[in-house]
Amino acid sequence: MRFTDQVVVISGGTGGIGTAIARRLLDEGSHAVVVTGRDERRGTAAAGALGAGAHFRPQDVTDEKGWSVLLAEVVERFGRLDVLVNNAGTATDGTPQDIGSISLQSWHRLFATNLDGVLLGCRAAIEVMAAAGGGSIVNVSSTAALMSTPRFVAYGAAKAAVTQLTKSVAVHCARLGNEVRCNSVHPSLIGTDLGDDILRMFDDDVERARSTYLARVPMGALGTPTDVAAAVAYLASTDAAYVTGAQLVVGGGLGV
């Protein structure tokens, strides 16, 4: 039980990968797992399905003040923050993302959620965790950070920036000696609604797009949310006590 009595916050935790991470950390003993998201109905349902120890709080990860309010509430109610998983993200805003067509507005929208939200989460969590003796931050990036993404340039660029940000946060905290670790997980396409959104950027026929994609994956299968949850659990736990600034690829051989 690697997370016995620990307190966890997972942004974008109301479905798919986020819910799988919440389930894994609850199963490993977490005292409280707070999942956040914009959709209050969906979030309430997710927390209810997760059961005892799960809580939902509405959040827009691009709201700077909102991060401080959220973490202050978590500390006030549960006493501390041990783990933050920056999982909130989106692959598309419904507009073209190739370099010849993407608008600056679309670029800014996708960077706001996929990168700015991670920056704000890291900054707020470091302050809270350092004051309590340490903690672990896990940023969910993507294999898109590790290869060219001509069909979705904003998403790929933002996820690459998350990778670099993670390294910088890790070294910053290590040099301060505040016992806060920061690592990133890099899933390839996962069988979730977000995964289907990405496939539609290649082909309106999702099944055909999936088959084409799988031909590029050395292991020949899509990853599952539980695969990503297992990687997050390792990095967040004391099993990874000497691991910081690392990139753990969960891609079936893609992106390595």
Side-chain angles (χ1 to χ4, degrees):
M1 303 293 278
R2 293 181 293 183
F3 299 95
T4 299
D5 295 331
Q6 290 195 13
V7 178
V8 179
V9 170
I10 304 170
S11 72
T14 62
I17 290 172
T19 300
I21 296 168
R23 167 56 58 206
R24 178 65 182 250
L25 301 191
L26 284 166
D27 287 347
E28 291 207 39
S30 294
H31 168 60
V33 174
V34 179
V35 295
T36 79
R38 296 189 183 195
D39 188 329
E40 189 160 355
R41 180 177 298 180
R42 182 181 183 186
T44 300
L50 286 166
H55 308 268
F56 169 72
R57 293 294 180 273
Q59 183 191 29
D60 174 356
V61 294
T62 68
D63 180 352
E64 182 175 9
K65 183 178 179 181
W67 270 106
S68 297
V69 171
L70 169 69
L71 297 191
E73 181 183 346
V74 167
V75 172
E76 181 178 4
R77 180 169 181 182
F78 302 112
R80 64 188 185 279
L81 173 65
D82 299 292
V83 176
L84 169 66
V85 182
N86 281 309
N87 176 65
T90 183
T92 177
D93 65 353
T95 63
Q97 271 196 66
D98 65 275
I99 192 62
S101 303
I102 190 169
S103 69
L104 186 59
Q105 291 79 10
S106 179
W107 177 272
H108 286 161
R109 281 194 295 269
L110 289 160
F111 262 68
T113 298
N114 291 311
L115 177 61
D116 296 354
V118 177
L119 166 69
L120 295 174
C122 287
R123 191 176 66 184
I126 288 167
E127 181 178 359
V128 171
M129 290 175 173
S136 177
I137 300 170
V138 182
N139 296 327
V140 179
S141 181
S142 170
T143 53
L146 309 174
M147 61 185 71
S148 65
T149 56
R151 296 283 187 94
F152 44 111
V153 295
Y155 177 76
K159 289 298 189 179
V162 168
T163 306
Q164 202 282 338
L165 172 64
T166 299
K167 294 178 181 181
S168 294
V169 169
V171 173
H172 170 81
C173 291
R175 286 177 174 168
L176 288 178
N178 61 17
E179 302 300 324
V180 177
R181 296 183 299 107
C182 187
N183 295 285
S184 57
V185 170
H186 297 252
S188 59
L189 192 68
I190 301 297
T192 63
D193 291 343
L194 178 60
D196 286 349
D197 287 343
I198 293 174
L199 289 172
R200 289 188 185 94
M201 297 170 74
F202 293 92
D203 193 325
D204 289 337
D205 185 329
V206 173
E207 292 305 317
R208 184 168 60 200
R210 184 177 290 110
S211 295
T212 301
Y213 173 82
L214 288 177
R216 300 170 52 212
V217 180
M219 291 183 70
L222 288 183
T224 68
T226 55
D227 292 326
V228 184
V232 171
Y234 163 67
L235 290 174
S237 76
T238 55
D239 284 349
Y242 197 57
V243 178
T244 195
Q247 299 83 52
L248 180 49
V249 179
V250 186
L254 189 69
V256 298

